[in-house]
């Protein structure tokens, strides 16, 4: 290990001399005083002689406690040194610990902050206009340490037994089901929850406040509820429908039962993210889960369905199996995005969710075509270094790359690889390469070599396709909007159809860095990136493009969209003349798909801005002629449904 890596390890990673196996937490929030007190007993395995323990803690007051050895011997904590900058608590001991099991007992107190991180307060106004307070949590990435002293790193998994002491009449929930409650004699109640599976600290959650819960929906033995502010119960039915579908869909897809005993989906009035995948206690921004289907648009319903499916996908991929360190957060989020699309496409096939994703993917194409783009995965020293991964490249490009791999391997081989990965690493932590190895073992394909070329370098390829005598040639180079030469190359998994008709068989092809030549029927059209799922741009020579434009009706909507989008991108990059794009656009006069028209109009709009005077008027006459059939079909009066072209 290099010296700089050693320093980063010491600065950002806790010592491994003692590791936790279990936390028993007791939290007593005071919503009026916006504070809390707590205590914990942490089961530790001490691996080497230690004269101090180092945990994560910040914005907490910690009282000196004690450690109890297996034989009952007590070692007192003589001093607690808090390093606010490093967010650590140094527990100095009266004598050194010898290796073995111990129980660490600490008491602490803190504030319910207003920064939507850690253990914080959220508010809403009730029907009478009175402000009501909720105590809730948001721990990802490293804010569990604001609620209790802990080993706040994803690979230091432990079982959590949570107890909440709260005023009677308030709803209190955590990751697991309630197993007991008893009055404390002072107007409060002590609620204990079942033990969790071994999991990372960032997935622990507890919520307390004047909230309501829907009646539970039984999903094959798993009770599913939505928790919400009073008066909003009528906005929960759609989320419950999506949640029940997703729980069944993922349990079947993964081949593993849901890893918790219940699932609460909690609508929080003040929430920084869209949602958070706490096991059994998913928290959401209200707008991401509460919706009235009778008044909502399809886009609004789709956003709720996407978010609910995304978070439930994490219950297995992210919670049951977790990245070892924050460099793996891209895979956590990219895979959940891929599974969200797969699930929602099955939930509402009429939405054609993958076709809608193609348009979102164009945004990722634009970012990734810049010379200053980043790899999907990169080294992460501090948790803050991973913040840059929460962007379009992680969610959209990452999901698209996984979809590309799934289409190349085939859905069954891909799913078997995912099941193998989850079975082998259940309750544990992994690196990205562990997933590639599982997929490689299930498929027999060189998945690690292929995917390393996609995640460790930025950008994506332009596949140039040309016709030969009884063959087609596929060559690749990096696509850059500035047109600069770039030596970056990939192993490109792509589907090819030797004909235009969408129902014809496709051939999975792995295009090597040096390109490839494939047999192809003389005079026939060829569709490279059949289905439109690979994260590539395709540029056909004039002859092959002409063959496709004569058969547009045989292509899928995604393939037509990608044909237009790729052509306009090549025009922007200077790899294609604008008049060639207009010739292509001319062939789409009978187009009926909205995303395809959006791609056409994007390019035509830019062309309009570049012209002035008589050329602009001639161009506008061309556009009017092109769009007239679509306008005649639509008419000028609103129709039922309000969508389509």
């Amino acid at each position: 290990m290099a010296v700089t890596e050693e320093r980063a390890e010491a600065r950002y990673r806790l010592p491994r001399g003692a590791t936790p196996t279990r936390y028993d937490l007791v939290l007593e929030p005071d919503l009026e005083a916006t504070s809390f007190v707590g205590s914990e007993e942490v089961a530790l395995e001490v691996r080497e002689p230690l004269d101090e323990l180092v945990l994560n803690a910040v914005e907490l007051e910690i009282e000196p406690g004690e450690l109890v050895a297996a034989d009952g011997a007590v070692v007192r904590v003589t001093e607690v040194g808090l390093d606010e900058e490093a967010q650590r608590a140094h527990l100095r001991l009266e004598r050194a610990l010898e290796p073995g099991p111990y129980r660490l007992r600490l008491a602490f107190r803190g504030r319910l902050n207003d920064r939507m991180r850690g253990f914080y307060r959220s508010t809403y106004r009730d029907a009478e206009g009175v402000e009501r307070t909720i105590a809730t949590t948001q721990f990802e990435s490293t804010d569990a340490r604001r609620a209790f002293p802990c080993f706040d790193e994803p690979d230091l998994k432990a079982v959590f037994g949570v107890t909440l002491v709260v005023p009677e009449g308030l709803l209190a929930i955590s990751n697991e089901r309630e197993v007991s409650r008893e009055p404390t004699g002072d107007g409060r109640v002590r609620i204990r929850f079942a033990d969790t599976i071994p999991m990372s600290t960032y997935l622990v959650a507890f919520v307390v406040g004047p909230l309501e819960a829907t009646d539970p929906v039984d999903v094959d033995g798993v009770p599913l509820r939505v928790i919400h502010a009073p008066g909003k119960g009528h906005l929960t039915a759609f989320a419950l429908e999506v949640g029940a579908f997703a729980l069944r869909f993922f349990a079947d897809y993964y081949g593993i039962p849901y890893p918790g005993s219940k699932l609460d989906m909690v609508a929080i009035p003040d929430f920084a993210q869209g949602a958070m995948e706490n096991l059994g206690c998913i928290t959401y921004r209200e707008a991401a889960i509460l919706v009235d289907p009778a008044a909502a648009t399809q886009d609004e319903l789709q956003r709720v369905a996407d978010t609910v499916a995304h978070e439930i996908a994490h219950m297995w991929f992210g919670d049951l199996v977790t990245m070892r360190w924050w460099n793996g957060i891209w895979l956590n989020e990219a895979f959940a995005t891929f599974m969200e699309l797969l699930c929602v496409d099955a939930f509402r096939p009429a939405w054609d969710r993958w076709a809608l994703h193609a348009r979102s993917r164009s945004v990722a194409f634009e970012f990734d075509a810049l010379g200053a783009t980043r790899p999907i995965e990169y080294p992460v020293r501090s948790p803050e270094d991973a913040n840059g991964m929460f962007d379009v490249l992680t969610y959209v490009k990452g999901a698209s790359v996984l979809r590309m791999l799934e289409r190349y391997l085939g859905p069954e081989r891909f799913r078997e690889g995912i099941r193998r990965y989850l079975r082998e690493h259940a309750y544990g932590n992994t690196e990205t390469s562990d997933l590639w190895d599982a997929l490689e073992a299930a498929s027999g394909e060189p998945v690690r070599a292929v995917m390393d070329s996609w995640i460790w370098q930025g950008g994506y390829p332009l596949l140039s396709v040309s016709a030969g005598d009884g063959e087609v040639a596929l060559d690749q180079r990096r696509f850059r909007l500035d047109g600069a030469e770039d030596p970056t190359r990939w192993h490109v998994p792509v589907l090819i159809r030797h004909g235009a008709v969408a129902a014809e068989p496709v051939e999975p092809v792995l295009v090597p860095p040096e390109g490839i030549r494939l047999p192809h029927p003389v005079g026939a059209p060829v569709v490279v990136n059949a289905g439109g799922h690979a994260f590539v741009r395709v540029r056909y020579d004039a002859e092959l493009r002409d063959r496709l434009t004569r058969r547009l009706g045989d292509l899928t909507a995604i393939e037509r969209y990608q044909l237009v989008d790729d052509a306009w991108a090549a025009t922007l990059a200077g790899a294609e003349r604008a008049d060639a794009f207009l010739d292509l656009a001319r062939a789409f006069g009978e187009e009926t798909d909205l995303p395809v028209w959006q791609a056409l109009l994007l390019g035509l709009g830019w062309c309009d801005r570049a012209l002035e005077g008589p050329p602009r008027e001639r161009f506008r006459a061309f556009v009017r002629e092109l769009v007239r059939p679509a306008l005649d079909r639509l008419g000028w009066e609103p129709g039922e449904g309000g969508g389509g072209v």
Side-chain angles (χ1 to χ4, degrees):
M1 183 181 293
V3 173
T4 55
E5 291 176 339
E6 289 178 349
R7 289 174 179 169
E9 186 87 6
R11 181 176 180 184
Y12 299 114
R13 307 292 293 271
L14 291 172
R16 289 310 199 258
T19 55
T21 59
R22 178 185 177 88
Y23 294 78
D24 284 292
L25 294 172
V26 180
L27 279 300
E28 303 179 33
D30 186 330
L31 303 190
E32 292 184 3
T34 64
S35 63
F36 64 92
V37 297
S39 62
E40 66 181 7
E41 181 169 292
V42 186
L44 299 175
E45 188 63 38
V46 175
R47 304 177 184 281
E48 60 189 46
L50 297 174
D51 56 12
E52 77 166 6
L53 286 175
V54 183
L55 292 78
N56 292 116
V58 65
E59 298 176 356
L60 293 175
E61 298 176 23
I62 305 172
E63 299 176 10
E66 63 183 19
L67 290 107
V68 181
D71 62 1
V74 175
V75 179
R76 291 188 303 109
V77 176
T78 58
E79 183 183 359
V80 178
L82 292 174
D83 184 339
E84 291 288 326
E85 181 179 355
Q87 300 186 354
R88 291 181 178 180
H90 294 261
L91 309 184
R92 298 178 181 95
L93 310 174
E94 64 178 346
R95 65 176 184 274
L97 302 177
E98 295 300 320
Y102 290 82
R103 287 173 290 140
L104 170 65
R105 295 170 177 166
L106 292 175
F108 51 91
R109 65 183 63 248
R111 302 293 302 178
L112 296 172
N113 69 71
D114 58 1
R115 300 194 304 277
M116 292 185 283
R117 60 193 298 196
F119 198 13
Y120 74 94
R121 64 181 180 272
S122 174
T123 61
Y124 69 87
R125 292 196 177 275
D126 64 19
E128 286 72 43
V130 177
E131 185 174 84
R132 309 298 297 273
T133 300
I134 301 165
T136 187
T137 55
Q138 170 56 34
F139 289 162
E140 190 180 30
S141 301
T142 56
D143 287 316
R145 63 191 66 178
R146 298 178 188 275
F148 57 98
C150 57
F151 296 81
D152 200 13
E153 296 183 12
D155 65 322
L156 296 175
K157 285 188 166 185
V159 171
F160 289 85
V162 175
T163 297
L164 298 176
V165 181
V166 303
E168 292 180 352
L170 295 185
L171 184 144
I173 57 172
S174 187
N175 301 88
E176 268 293 348
R177 71 188 189 283
E178 181 181 319
V179 293
S180 70
R181 63 169 53 213
E182 55 181 306
T184 59
D186 58 359
R188 297 185 301 165
V189 61
R190 183 183 184 90
I191 304 171
R192 186 168 66 86
F193 301 91
D195 290 350
T196 70
I197 65 170
M199 65 183 195
S200 305
T201 48
Y202 79 92
L203 297 169
V204 177
F206 20 90
V207 182
V208 177
L211 297 168
E212 295 178 351
T214 64
D215 291 334
V217 175
D218 188 310
V219 185
D220 301 330
V222 178
L224 172 70
R225 302 185 299 178
V226 172
I227 312 298
H228 58 88
K232 297 186 177 181
H234 64 292
L235 303 176
T236 62
F238 184 72
L240 286 168
E241 181 187 2
V242 178
F245 182 92
L247 272 174
R248 292 189 175 101
F249 181 89
F250 292 128
D252 175 69
Y253 186 93
Y254 296 133
I256 297 173
Y258 170 68
S261 67
K262 60 91 178 176
L263 179 55
D264 288 327
M265 302 192 294
V266 191
I268 303 295
D270 303 300
F271 197 71
Q273 286 73 31
M276 177 61 208
E277 65 267 22
N278 316 301
L279 182 68
C281 187
I282 304 173
T283 44
Y284 295 83
R285 186 181 299 178
E286 283 187 328
I289 189 172
L290 301 179
V291 67
D292 179 1
T297 64
Q298 178 182 308
D299 186 59
E300 290 168 332
L301 293 175
Q302 179 197 301
R303 283 200 296 268
V304 170
D306 286 351
T307 306
V308 169
H310 183 103
E311 302 308 322
I312 293 178
H314 272 311
M315 301 297 101
W316 290 262
F317 203 105
D319 294 5
L320 179 66
V321 179
T322 312
M323 69 270 169
R324 186 166 287 121
W325 183 241
W326 299 108
N327 60 295
I329 196 68
W330 83 266
L331 181 60
N332 201 26
E333 296 302 336
F335 190 85
T337 302
F338 165 78
M339 292 303 300
E340 146 204 330
L341 294 165
L342 205 65
C343 178
V344 173
D345 190 57
F347 174 67
R348 287 287 189 272
W351 289 354
D352 200 1
R353 191 63 188 85
W354 286 110
L356 295 172
H357 174 69
R359 182 155 176 78
S360 302
R361 189 179 57 196
S362 295
V363 179
F365 274 138
E366 292 174 10
F367 279 96
D368 212 27
L370 302 175
T373 189
R374 66 165 178 85
I376 293 178
E377 182 172 345
Y378 52 81
V380 169
R381 292 183 173 86
S382 74
E384 290 74 20
D385 291 342
N387 289 340
M389 288 186 181
F390 292 91
D391 64 5
V392 68
L393 294 178
T394 285
Y395 287 88
V396 180
K397 179 182 178 180
S400 299
V401 167
L402 291 169
R403 175 66 166 178
M404 174 176 65
L405 181 63
E406 184 231 17
R407 293 290 92 185
Y408 174 76
L409 297 179
E412 291 306 317
R413 291 199 298 176
F414 183 86
R415 181 168 69 170
E416 180 49 42
I418 298 303
R419 289 178 169 184
R420 183 187 188 106
Y421 168 82
L422 292 172
R423 288 194 305 266
E424 290 180 351
H425 301 288
Y427 311 109
N429 299 83
T430 59
E431 300 287 356
T432 299
S433 57
D434 293 321
L435 177 60
W436 309 149
D437 291 345
L439 288 164
E440 191 163 305
S443 67
E445 297 285 346
V447 175
R448 186 191 277 223
V450 170
M451 297 309 291
D452 280 354
S453 76
W454 284 91
I455 68 165
W456 292 111
Q457 54 191 15
Y460 57 89
L462 171 68
L463 295 181
S464 296
V465 190
S466 56
D469 186 12
E471 68 173 19
V472 289
L474 280 71
D475 296 293
Q476 65 161 289
R477 65 179 176 86
R478 180 176 174 181
F479 181 88
R480 288 181 53 149
L481 282 173
D482 60 10
E485 289 297 321
D486 193 301
T488 309
R489 297 293 184 269
W490 292 260
H491 296 280
V492 186
V494 68
L495 301 184
I496 295 177
R497 191 166 68 245
H498 297 278
V501 180
E504 293 176 352
V506 295
E507 176 187 5
V509 174
L510 188 62
V511 181
E514 66 274 14
I516 196 170
R517 305 296 183 265
L518 299 171
H520 181 69
V522 175
V526 62
V527 180
V528 175
N529 193 15
H533 297 292
F535 198 78
V536 300
R537 296 283 192 193
V538 179
R539 183 188 176 204
Y540 298 95
D541 68 15
E543 179 182 348
L544 290 176
R545 180 181 290 180
D546 186 55
R547 293 178 193 174
L548 287 176
T549 55
R550 292 198 300 265
R551 304 280 298 276
L552 287 176
D554 292 330
L555 304 179
T556 67
I558 297 180
E559 290 168 349
R560 297 195 305 275
Y561 173 87
Q562 209 58 56
L563 185 63
V564 175
D565 196 52
D566 289 350
W568 177 243
T571 304
L572 284 178
E576 191 68 82
R577 289 170 54 91
D579 57 355
F581 176 77
L582 298 183
D583 286 341
L584 175 68
R586 195 189 309 273
F588 284 83
E590 299 301 318
E591 180 60 51
T592 60
D593 185 74
L594 177 60
V596 176
W597 270 111
Q598 289 170 324
L600 285 164
L601 294 174
L602 175 67
L604 295 172
W606 276 103
C607 291
D608 182 67
R609 295 184 186 94
L611 297 171
E612 58 185 20
R616 191 180 201 188
E617 291 308 313
R618 290 194 296 273
F619 173 75
R620 289 185 168 186
F622 162 79
V623 173
R624 286 194 292 270
E625 180 184 357
L626 176 64
V627 304
R628 176 62 59 188
L631 293 177
D632 289 343
R633 285 193 302 273
L634 280 173
W636 296 101
E637 296 299 324
E640 291 187 11
V645 174

